[in-house]
Amino acid sequence: MSDPSRNGEAAGTPDRMSLTTAATKDIFFDVEGYTAAILMSTGDNCYYPSERFTVGGYDWAVRFYPNQLGSHISILLVLLSEPKDGTVVGVRFGCAVLDRSGKPSAELWQSSSTVLSFYGEEWGFWRFAPHDVLEDPDYLEGDCLTLSCTVSVLRKPQLSSD
């Protein structure tokens, strides 16, 4: 057994790894002009898309819906690649609102996992947070709201050889 202190680890600290996650990416999104974004949204289907990004060999985008049901924001993840080999893509998606000190809010975060099976399929948090809570000065600074999102693509399970 190797000396753990040679790897920069404290003696007795076990290695930790995910059995299910293949790749993870953390992304920060600024919603500048938050108030105008809400006013410009004419219905539940209006959204602002992020730029395309890649995680786990798949292309993704995040969609920010500023005015769901006239009272909430929604944050959705959309698959912008075809699943490989005609299968599904397992994904874990989480988002948090950052407070003015840049820390994730303990109250304004959601995380969940699912499988997506076709190009353009979207999934996420339709009622992520109500407007009146987000408009608190702890979260909205200079009419800018900052979101921290994490996308983790899950590995395909292995088949047993018995």
Side-chain angles (χ1 to χ4, degrees):
M1 187 156 143
S2 66
D3 178 4
S5 63
R6 297 174 100 192
N7 297 329
E9 299 176 13
T13 303
D15 288 343
R16 184 179 196 129
M17 63 181 72
S18 175
L19 292 172
T20 55
T21 300
T24 298
K25 185 170 195 138
D26 295 319
I27 306 167
F28 295 95
F29 297 103
D30 290 325
V31 180
E32 298 168 318
Y34 170 83
T35 304
I38 291 171
L39 294 172
M40 291 170 47
S41 298
T42 57
D44 290 345
N45 293 324
C46 293
Y47 65 87
Y48 292 88
S50 73
E51 293 180 25
R52 182 182 292 242
F53 57 91
T54 301
V55 182
Y58 294 94
D59 291 339
W60 306 90
V62 168
R63 291 180 178 167
F64 170 74
Y65 291 78
N67 205 11
Q68 281 301 112
L69 306 171
S71 61
H72 285 72
I73 67 164
S74 297
I75 304 168
L76 301 179
L77 180 68
V78 60
L79 177 62
L80 297 177
S81 300
E82 287 293 338
K84 297 175 175 126
D85 305 323
T87 60
V88 295
V89 180
V91 64
R92 184 166 189 259
F93 180 50
C95 286
V97 174
L98 300 186
D99 64 20
R100 64 182 321 126
S101 68
K103 294 185 176 131
S105 166
E107 295 83 28
L108 297 174
W109 70 274
Q110 292 188 38
S111 179
S112 191
S113 60
T114 194
V115 292
L116 301 176
S117 57
F118 58 88
Y119 177 93
E121 188 173 4
E122 63 181 13
W123 171 83
F125 314 112
W126 282 105
R127 295 179 121 199
F128 182 78
H131 293 157
D132 60 340
V133 172
L134 293 171
E135 291 163 3
D136 185 296
D138 284 343
Y139 306 116
L140 194 61
E141 185 172 10
D143 206 33
C144 181
L145 181 71
T146 301
L147 305 169
S148 172
C149 296
T150 301
V151 178
S152 297
V153 174
L154 305 180
R155 298 179 194 202
K156 302 274 189 237
Q158 301 296 307
L159 293 175
S160 175
S161 59
D162 354 310

